[in-house]
């Protein structure tokens, strides 16, 4: 295709061998190898490739079985039975049994030291190994969505004697070398249950700066990079050496208004703020057009994503609402932002510009990520956030109930929570969708999020890297699916 | 121990040639104005032109930006990094030209303030140390050494993390890190004149010490100080721009040259103007101020108008 | 190397056998075209010393350096010719053409860089004014002499060169030991440094020697040593010397012939006896008149300048009888004006003053005499209150003064005024003369600001500078004008005692004469008492009525001028008197 | 004598380092956040935090903690990093070496080149070449270091010539300096930042020395120009220039931060930014002390050079 400097034979069958050098931004001396508390992109990439979950979300955001062969609820959804595949082994060759799965559940939900996925397993009561390959999971309340919780990547199965310093898992790769904040080397796991990965080695290299990342790609020091600035997509596409992986995702970068403090405790102010946003312009300016319109509602990949009226910019109505709320001469707010994800600080600036038309003065206060997630996290009255793709119920459990660990808007509504509980317990698909729609309407009318769009995840790689596929979870590089990647023949 | 041994070439040098005692000068003119003497030097001329150009740009820019480009510095002119308008759009699709015009004022203001702060503190400390000598000198200079040894950037990072990236924090931190360096130069220069007889004469007439410092010593060390001021201004601009580069300096959506470089450098190969314009402006400004400082130093060293 | 000199005289190929260097119509300009030398002619003869005199800035150094084909940065050779008739011209690697053109002499002004370099230090040597600045402080002195031999390829091997270094060191009267050779310049005294310079110049037994005021920085005794060395070396090696100075007395002692320069022109030339006895040019006469003499027969006036510099100071010149003060101290019943009793001063363990006693009456002028380092400045600064940790007492009209000026009362401060040695450093170059002169008034606080200007202008008038100087800066004043301004500053508060610390030593003789005249006039007009500090004993009869001789912090001789000069009681005084060169 | 002078300077240096350690310690006390909580994470229980605080001596008074910390410094114990939970020494060990290598390379290029160009420029004062050097240094000095770095990367790695690596990456187990091509751009950037000042200083000092009486005298003695420069002039410029070189080299210690950031160089600069953003107090303290120590040592060396280059000080008795 075109006068490329070299030709890659894309039709040849996948070939084994070689080292894939992966560039990712983020990473620091605080990087971890723990299977259950991944924080940044590097952590995620390691966790996904070192540890195998029971289920996973595939490229189309459908649940797929990994270590598990089946997962069935009982009639009321309070007990789920999980069946493992045959002959599973950890990367050190030892057997992976139901006991290990039980240990994993207990480790993640340890009340003393709860891990990342504990919030999705709030209903978890206990797990018991029925036999070598069967685990029974008892819940405190009925749930129709346990499979979603088990499909989180921070839910990898670990052996009973798990030690983060020597991270044994059942993932496609195992650890060869690790230097926090700098680089990680993974090598093929010969005991992997699925078809073995093609690559001999994967090197994950941390960059603190997107510019250095792109430079490394351009000077061929890395083979692929995760998450490139969207403004550069066209440039990289036009470079004959490069290929671009552009995935639509459910990743959202909302503004968060705390509904329990001035001035956002008045729903008219919240609505006014939602009305000043020109969502298409947001996507154009912040995402260079690489994104989908948002409608103040998360979980676009959930089968029950609603079909509500699309909110559009309406300055006059926003002004009216503000006037009714007692701010006839405009209003001044402080927006706390931090570079927690690319596009966030940019979105703040675009918002400030758009809001100014309605007499809203937005003072941007940029803090560093540590400060943002520090003592005052969840206290900022007007800030921003960032979430990967999730379905509606688990997402709401994370951010929209009294128990939610990250309720950034402090929006708590008993009726909404009740609806969630009912929906979660409802095994009938249609009935559940109905309940969810009711809850969504409340969030849409009253909630504290401004969800202006969903960002595409765009990665870039050298053309000789083959096997990357689009992925809607929001995680870069096909959700770090290096197990299906191989290095093509260059002629 | 002085950092830059640019000696104050005071005119207490050899006898002026050609004039004898018996030949009083005809006109009792006042010496030519400093500005005139600076302008008379080729370097001074270039320095003034460059400096005035950038300062005028920075001052008038914010007002002119919307008029000249049709966009305010925060308005959107198109998608990011597109060639719309004269110099294209930036990382958020705003007009590079407009942001460039508006982006010099704060940088200039902060770096000038930081330099002035450093100069004032440094001069006072250095002159007192040089003039008082003895114990006072040792104590002040040891303190100075301590501040010097304390890494500048650590100080800046700590202050910004603790106090936030406010303008006054930037100015204070950068100004204070300049102070010990300026103090060294001021002290060295003071030592060069403190033994001059005119200082002794002032002491003899019991002129208050503060007035000796201000009237007798200060005017005679302006040469090395103005060179130092030029250098420090360069450092201030660089420091503020570098902090912006690390994301700790000027905050978005402020239009600022340092920030612009950081925001747009990613697209250097496709939309270079977003980086080039501020880089050129910063370079022209610092080259200009340094030329000017050198010329001022030379001009204060002599009272006559130089040819060439 | 005496063989070389005999060989040279026999193999002389020039038409004028003893002519060694001829300068013809030399013109030198600055880079922007201003002419500095307007066609100077000089001839140097073998074994003869030519004295080149003239006031500061007349172009003496420029002419001297031109002999080496060197022009200082900013200066440019314009025209004229300098020809060197070397004893062994053939040895020189100059190109045949230029030698031909000059009639077998070498035309220095036409030589290329490499030829010039070969000439310098070997055929033509230079002895600079300030040895402290001309010796490389980071190279041992023996090494610096050896370097000349090295670069000019003296002798056959290192031993011969080492032997030569030892020999010249002995010739100039310095120890030739290895230890001495391994000293750094700063470990030698000024006189020794200058003799190293002389040794360096003679190392290659040059034909021509240019000496640029080689004794200016030295005290009289050292000076006479150095002059002796120069005299013997010149005749020993049969060298043609150009001795640059502005001290006519020294020329009288040393030179065979003398040339007088005035602003880039040679105005008179001839044998020393003739020129000094019967000067033809008015400028030469003026110079001669300005030279102080020990006998005090001359009157140091400024009238001599008038025909040379028409716009010189007005005729209001007061001639003061030398030796006798114009105003004699009236017998007073009250305590003497100034009494210094048992003054002691230590710097660390170093005793600088060891109990000095003297007193001063109104209108009296006392000269404090002593060689460098004897404590003159220290003494005068103690009196003026510029040194605050002395022991002993300074009493003014019976009242003991506090040690530091800051602690003295306003009146005390006004009563004693001090004039600094160097006019180049005593006025703040950044402030106008008027501002500097107002300071004493400002600090005494007696006059409202409006009237100060009038007083300052008066003082400027009284030192004959004129009011127009009020707004000028020291930078555009000559040394003499500055020193007048400094005197005027001391006068604005109408003091009783004026302490003058070598106030003329940085100035040339004619300027010195005018300052002396000015001081005498002020004494006459105001009854000012004067403490005149100097190491120049020849000024005694022109300025003082009493002399105090200071030696290593002790007063060794004191009394009225005539008594001390004619019947010195102390060895040191006698030595001083013996070393003085006279016309 | 000379030993005594140097000893005195040494004592002053030690005093300065001690004082800096107090300032560093006090300054980092201001950093918000609790290291124990940072190590254990937000969800840790109070008892575990208290236990860790005791282990890290956080329950003691600041004065006690200072002396414990200072005592640790003497035995090479910089404390526990709150980010990794491990010893700071483990974290910094290789990074310090990496930074030192970078600084050393930059110094080895910048100092001789700067001195040579400075001398050259002084000898051709006023001529074209000198003016070119003057303008060059002025412009170079006017550009912040990251601009120089970006320009070099664009020129040599990503856009014009693609001949050098844009960032540093060492395969596991290998040190950065084992792949020398990666060092070229960061070294060049640092060198270009410090060279202008060395040139300027060397030029000014040499110009002054060339105007001095003893240089004129050497010429009048017939000493060849080469020898005049090398034997008579240059040794005099060394003393004062050593001071400026020292300050520039000491600047390198702090200035590497931006350059390391730009080139992803695994040195202390990177670690410093991380440590400050993650409030890793012990690491901030350690790096500050290390940078201060570099500063003090380099200045001490410059002082010694100054003493040795000055025969007055050398032989004063
Ligand atoms: N580099 C220079 N550039 C321009 N003019 C110069 C320069 N050097 C000397 N002159 C001028 O040349 C004239 C002669 O100077 P020169 O040094 O030869 O005088 P001099 O007789 O040696 O004086 P002195 O007794 O003070 O040493 C003076 O008027 C001086 O101003
Ligand atoms: N500040 C000082 N510290 C130490 N010693 C000093 C100081 N000032 C002067 N001396 C010493 O005191 C002695 C007398 O110095 P002083 O300046 O009074 O001599 P002087 O007679 O004025 O000499 P000159 O003719 O050279 O001016 C000298 O040996 C000098 O080295
Ligand atoms: Mg002269
Ligand atoms: Mg003296």
């Amino acid at each position: 295709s075109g006068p490329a400097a070299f030709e890659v034979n894309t039709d040849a069958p996948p070939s084994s061998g070689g080292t894939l050098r992966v560039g990712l931004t983020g990473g620091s001396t605080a990087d971890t190898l723990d299977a259950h508390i991944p924080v940044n992109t590097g952590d995620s990439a390691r966790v996904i490739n070192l540890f195998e979950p029971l289920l996973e979300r595939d490229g189309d955001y459908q649940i797929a079985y990994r270590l598990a062969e089946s997962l069935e609820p009982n009639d009321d959804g309070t007990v789920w039975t999980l069946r493992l595949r045959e002959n599973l082994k950890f990367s050190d060759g030892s057997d992976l049994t139901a006991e290990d799965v039980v240990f994993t559940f207990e480790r993640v939900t340890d009340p003393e030291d709860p891990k990342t996925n504990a919030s999705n397993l709030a209903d978890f009561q206990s797990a018991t190994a029925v036999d070598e390959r069967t685990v029974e999971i008892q819940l405190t309340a009925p749930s129709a969505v346990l499979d979603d919780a088990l499909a989180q990547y921070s839910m990898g199965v670990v052996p009973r004697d798990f030690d983060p310093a020597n991270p044994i898992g059942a993932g496609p790769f195992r650890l060869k070398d690790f230097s926090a904040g700098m680089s990680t080397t993974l090598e093929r796991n010969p005991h992997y249950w699925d078809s073995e990965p093609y690559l001999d080695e994967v090197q994950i290299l941390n960059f603190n700066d997107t510019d250095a990342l792109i430079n490394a790609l351009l000077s061929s020091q890395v083979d692929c990079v995760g998450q490139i600035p969207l403004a550069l997509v066209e440039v990289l596409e036009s470079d004959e050496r490069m290929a671009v992986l552009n995935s639509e995702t459910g990743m959202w970068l909302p503004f968060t208004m705390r509904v329990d403090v001035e001035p956002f405790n008045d729903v008219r102010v919240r609505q006014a703020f939602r009305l000043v946003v020109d969502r298409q312009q947001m996507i154009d300016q912040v995402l260079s057009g690489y994104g989908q319109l948002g409608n103040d509602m998360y979980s676009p990949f959930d089968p029950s994503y609603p079909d509500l009226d699309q909110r559009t910019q309406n300055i006059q109505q926003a002004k009216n609402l503000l006037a009714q709320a007692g701010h006839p001469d405009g209003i001044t707010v402080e927006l706390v932002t931090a570079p927690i994800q690319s596009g966030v600080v940019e979105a703040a600036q675009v918002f400030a510009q758009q809001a100014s038309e309605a007499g809203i003065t937005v003072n941007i206060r940029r803090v560093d990520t540590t400060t943002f997630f520090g003592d005052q996290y969840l206290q900022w009255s007007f800030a921003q956030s960032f979430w990967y793709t999730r379905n509606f119920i688990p997402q709401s459990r994370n951010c929209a109930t009294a128990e939610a660990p990250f309720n950034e808007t402090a929006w708590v509504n008993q009726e909404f929570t009740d609806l969630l509980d009912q929906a979660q317990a409802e095994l009938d698909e249609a009935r559940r969708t109905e309940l969810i729609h009711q809850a969504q309407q409340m969030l849409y009318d009253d909630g504290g999020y401004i969800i202006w769009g969903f960002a595409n995840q765009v990665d870039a790689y050298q053309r000789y890297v083959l096997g990357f596929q689009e992925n809607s979870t929001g995680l870069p590089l096909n959700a770090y699916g290096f197990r299906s990647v191989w290095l093509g023949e260059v002629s | 121990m002085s950092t830059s041994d640019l000696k104050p070439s005071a005119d207490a040098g050899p006898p002026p040639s050609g004039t004898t005692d018996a030949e009083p000068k005809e006109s009792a003119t006042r010496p030519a104005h400093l500005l005139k003497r600076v302008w008379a030097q080729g370097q001074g001329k270039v320095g003034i032109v460059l400096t005035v150009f950038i300062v005028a740009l920075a001052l008038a820019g914010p007002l002119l930006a919307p008029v000249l480009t049709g966009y305010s510095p925060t308005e959107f002119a198109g998608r990011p990094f597109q060639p719309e308008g004269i110099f294209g759009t930036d990382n958020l699709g705003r007009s590079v030209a407009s942001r460039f015009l508006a982006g010099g004022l704060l940088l200039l203001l902060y770096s000038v303030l930081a330099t002035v702060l450093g100069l004032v503190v440094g001069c006072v400390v250095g002159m007192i140390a040089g003039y008082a000598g003895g114990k006072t000198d040792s104590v002040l200079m040891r303190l100075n050494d301590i501040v010097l040894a304390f890494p500048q950037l650590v100080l800046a990072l700590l202050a910004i993390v603790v106090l936030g990236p406010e303008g006054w924090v930037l100015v204070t931190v950068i100004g204070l890190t300049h102070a010990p360096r300026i103090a060294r130069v001021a002290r060295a220069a003071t030592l060069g004149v403190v033994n001059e007889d005119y200082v002794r004469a002032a002491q003899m007439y019991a002129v208050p010490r503060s007035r000796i410092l201000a009237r007798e010593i200060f005017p005679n060390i302006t040469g090395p100080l103005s060179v130092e001021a030029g250098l420090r201004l360069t450092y201030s601009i660089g420091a503020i721009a570098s902090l912006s580069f690390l994301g700790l300096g000027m905050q978005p959506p402020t239009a600022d040259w340092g920030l612009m470089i950081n925001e747009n450098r990613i697209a250097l190969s496709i939309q270079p103007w977003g980086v080039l314009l501020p880089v050129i402006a910063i370079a022209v400004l610092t080259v200009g101020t340094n030329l000017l400082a050198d010329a001022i130093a030379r001009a204060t060293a002599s009272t006559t108008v130089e040819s060439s | 190397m005496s063989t070389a000199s005999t060989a040279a005289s026999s193999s002389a190929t020039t038409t004028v056998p003893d002519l060694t260097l001829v300068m013809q119509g030399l013109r030198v300009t600055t880079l922007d075209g201003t002419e500095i030398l307007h066609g100077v002619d000089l001839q140097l003869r073998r074994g003869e010393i030519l004295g080149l005199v003239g006031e500061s800035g007349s172009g003496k150094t420029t002419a001297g350096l031109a002999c080496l084909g060197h022009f200082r940065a900013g200066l440019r050779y314009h025209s004229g010719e300098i020809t060197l008739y070397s004893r062994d011209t053939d040895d020189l690697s100059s190109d045949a053409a230029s030698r031909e053109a000059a009639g077998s002499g070498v035309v220095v002004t036409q030589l290329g860089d490499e030829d010039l370099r070969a000439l310098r230090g070997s055929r033509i040597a230079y002895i600079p004014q300030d040895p402290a600045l001309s010796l490389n402080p980071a190279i041992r002195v023996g090494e610096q002499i050896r370097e000349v031999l090295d670069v000019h390829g003296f002798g056959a091997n290192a031993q011969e060169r080492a032997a030569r270094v030892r020999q010249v060191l002995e010739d100039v009267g310095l120890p030739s030991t290895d230890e001495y050779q391994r000293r750094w310049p700063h470990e030698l005294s000024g006189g020794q440094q200058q003799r190293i310079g002389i040794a360096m110049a003679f190392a290659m037994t040059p034909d021509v020697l240019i000496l640029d005021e080689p004794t200016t920085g030295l005290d009289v005794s050292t000076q006479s040593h150095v002059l002796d060395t120069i005299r013997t070396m010149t005749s020993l090696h049969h060298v043609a010397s150009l001795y640059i100075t502005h001290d006519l007395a020294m020329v009288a002692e040393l030179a065979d012939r003398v040339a007088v320069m005035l602003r880039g022109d040679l105005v008179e030339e001839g044998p020393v006896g003739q020129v000094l006895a019967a000067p033809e040019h008015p400028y030469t006469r003026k110079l001669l008149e300005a030279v102080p003499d020990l006998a005090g027969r001359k009157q140091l006036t400024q009238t001599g300048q008038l025909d040379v510099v028409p716009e010189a100071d007005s005729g209001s010149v007061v001639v003061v009888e030398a030796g006798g003060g114009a105003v004699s101290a009236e017998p007073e019943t009250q305590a003497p004006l100034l009494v210094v009793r048992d003054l002691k001063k230590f710097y660390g363990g170093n005793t600088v003053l060891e109990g000095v006693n003297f007193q001063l009456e109104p209108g009296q002028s006392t000269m404090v005499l002593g060689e460098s380092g004897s404590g003159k400045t220290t003494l005068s600064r103690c009196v003026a209150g510029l040194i605050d940790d002395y022991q002993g007492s300074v009493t003014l009209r019976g009242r003991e003064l506090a040690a530091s000026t800051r602690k003295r009362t306003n009146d005390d401060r006004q009563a004693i005024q001090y004039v600094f040695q160097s006019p180049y450093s005593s006025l703040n170059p950044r402030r106008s003369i008027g501002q500097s002169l107002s300071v004493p008034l400002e600090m005494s606080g007696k006059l409202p600001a409006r009237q100060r200007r009038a007083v300052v202008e008066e003082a400027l008038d009284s030192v004959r500078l004129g009011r127009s100087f009020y707004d000028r800066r020291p930078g555009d004043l000559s040394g003499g004008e500055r020193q007048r301004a400094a005197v005027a500053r001391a006068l604005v508060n109408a003091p009783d005692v004026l302490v003058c610390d070598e106030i003329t030593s940085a100035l040339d003789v004619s300027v010195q004469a005018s300052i002396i005249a000015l001081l005498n006039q002020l004494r006459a007009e105001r009854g000012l008492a004067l403490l005149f500090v100097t190491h120049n004993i020849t000024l005694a009869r022109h300025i003082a009525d009493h002399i105090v001789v200071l030696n290593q912090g002790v007063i060794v001789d004191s009394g009225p001028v005539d008594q001390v000069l004619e019947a010195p009681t102390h060895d040191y005084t006698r030595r001083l008197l013996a070393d003085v060169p006279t016309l | 004598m000379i030993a005594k002078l140097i000893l005195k300077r040494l004592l002053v240096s030690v005093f300065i380092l001690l004082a800096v350690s107090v300032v560093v310690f006090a300054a980092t006390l201001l950093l918000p956040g609790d290291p124990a909580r940072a190590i254990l994470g937000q969800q840790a229980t109070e008892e575990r935090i208290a236990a860790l605080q005791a282990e890290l001596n956080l329950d003691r008074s600041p004065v006690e903690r200072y002396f414990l910390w200072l005592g640790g410094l003497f035995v090479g114990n910089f404390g526990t990093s709150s980010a990794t939970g491990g010893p700071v020494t483990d974290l910094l060990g290789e990074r310090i070496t990496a930074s030192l290598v970078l600084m050393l390379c930059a110094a080895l290029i910048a100092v001789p080149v700067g001195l040579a160009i400075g001398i050259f420029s002084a000898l051709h004062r006023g001529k074209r070449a000198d003016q070119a050097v003057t303008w060059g240094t002025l412009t170079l000095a006017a550009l912040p270091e990251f601009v120089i770095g970006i320009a070099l990367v664009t020129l040599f790695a990503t856009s014009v010539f693609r001949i050098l690596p844009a960032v540093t990456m060492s395969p596991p187990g290998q040190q950065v300096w084992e792949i020398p091509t990666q060092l070229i751009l960061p070294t060049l950037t640092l060198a270009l930042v410090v060279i202008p000042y060395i040139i300027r200083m060397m030029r000014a000092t040499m110009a002054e020395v060339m105007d001095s009486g003893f240089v004129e005298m050497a010429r009048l003695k017939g000493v060849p120009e080469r020898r005049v420069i090398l034997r008579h002039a240059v040794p005099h410029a060394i003393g004062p220039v050593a001071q400026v070189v020292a300050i520039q080299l000491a600047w390198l210690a702090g200035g590497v931060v931006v350059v390391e950031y730009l080139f992803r160089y695994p040195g202390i600069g990177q670690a410093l930014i991380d440590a400050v953003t993650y409030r890793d107090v012990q690491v901030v303290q350690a790096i500050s002390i290390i940078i201060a120590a570099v500063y003090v040592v380099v200045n001490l060396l410059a002082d010694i050079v100054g003493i040795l280059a000055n025969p007055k000080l050398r032989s004063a008795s």
Side-chain angles (χ1 to χ4, degrees), chain B residues 15-27, chain C residues 302 305 309 311-313 419 422-424 426-427 433 437 459-460 463-466 468-470 472-489 503 506-508 510-512 514-515 518:
Chain B
S17 43
T19 55
T20 62
D21 182 38
E23 194 183 16
K25 298 236 173 79
E26 281 307 310
S27 63
Chain C
Q302 294 165 302
Q305 294 179 336
V309 187
E311 70 274 58
D313 311 318
V419 184
S422 167
Y424 302 109
S426 66
L427 295 170
I433 298 292
L437 265 58
L460 283 173
V463 296
R464 282 172 294 126
L465 275 180
S468 67
F469 279 74
Y470 190 93
R472 291 177 51 184
R473 303 213 177 210
D476 24 300
L477 267 56
S478 74
E481 286 167 342
R482 292 191 204 195
Q483 199 60 290
R484 281 160 191 263
V487 171
R489 174 169 61 186
I503 61 170
L507 308 172
D508 68 30
S510 32
V511 183
Q512 167 174 300
S514 76
I515 298 272
L518 171 69

Side-chain angles (χ1 to χ4, degrees), chain A residues 21 27-31 40 111-115 177 180-185 203-209 211-216 218-219 221-222 239 241 368-371 373-375 405-406, chain D residues 32-33 37 40 42-45 47-48 81 83-84 91 95 150 153 157-158 162 164-173 182 260-266 270-271 274-280:
Chain A
R21 297 164 301 167
S28 73
T29 47
D31 281 0
N40 56 42
E112 279 283 290
D113 184 14
K115 302 296 189 295
D177 187 89
M182 298 301 309
S183 65
T184 312
T185 310
Q203 280 180 15
I204 299 168
L205 299 145
N206 300 109
F207 289 77
N208 42 23
D209 173 43
D211 205 19
L213 183 74
I214 301 293
N215 286 340
L218 289 177
S219 61
Q221 287 176 277
V222 293
D239 189 324
R241 301 173 300 157
D368 63 51
T369 309
T370 314
T371 309
F373 288 126
D375 296 342
F406 308 109
Chain D
R37 191 172 289 278
L40 293 174
Q42 287 296 333
Q43 276 122 345
T45 57
E47 300 86 70
R48 292 184 58 198
S81 157
T84 64
L91 184 75
R95 288 171 178 267
I150 292 174
V153 167
T158 57
R162 288 176 179 150
L164 289 170
V167 294
T168 38
M169 296 190 320
S170 53
Q182 298 194 343
E260 286 183 0
Y261 181 86
L262 193 61
F263 289 98
R264 192 190 168 275
Y265 190 86
Q270 279 243 5
D274 272 2
V276 171
T277 32
Y278 292 99
R279 314 289 185 269
D280 197 344

Side-chain angles (χ1 to χ4, degrees), chain B residues 17-18, chain C residues 30 36 55-62 72-75 213 246:
Chain B
S17 43
Chain C
T30 61
I36 300 292
E55 67 190 357
S56 184
S58 54
K60 304 183 296 292
T61 301
T62 308
R72 280 170 293 176
L75 295 183
E213 312 197 29
H246 55 242

Side-chain angles (χ1 to χ4, degrees), chain C residues 351-354 370-375 550-556 572:
Chain C
T351 311
V352 177
L353 295 178
E354 299 187 47
E371 66 180 352
S372 181
S374 57
L550 202 59
N551 184 24
Q552 294 181 355
V554 191
I555 290 184
V556 294
Y572 174 71

Side-chain angles (χ1 to χ4, degrees), chain A residues 35 60-61 136 153-154 208 216 223 228 232 257 316 325 329 362 371 396 474 484:
Chain A
D60 302 321
Y61 212 68
E136 231 178 56
Y153 64 86
S154 60
N208 42 23
D223 304 312
I228 60 170
L232 292 190
M257 304 177 281
Q316 195 46 52
D329 306 320
V362 179
T371 309
S396 302
S484 55

Side-chain angles (χ1 to χ4, degrees), chain A residues 116-147:
Chain A
T116 309
N117 203 32
S119 61
N120 292 324
L121 292 169
D123 297 335
F124 174 83
Q125 189 177 41
S126 64
T128 35
V130 176
D131 60 38
E132 279 281 285
R133 287 174 50 205
T134 313
V135 181
E136 231 178 56
I137 303 158
Q138 285 84 26
L139 302 180
T140 54
S143 171
V145 293
L146 182 70
D147 53 350

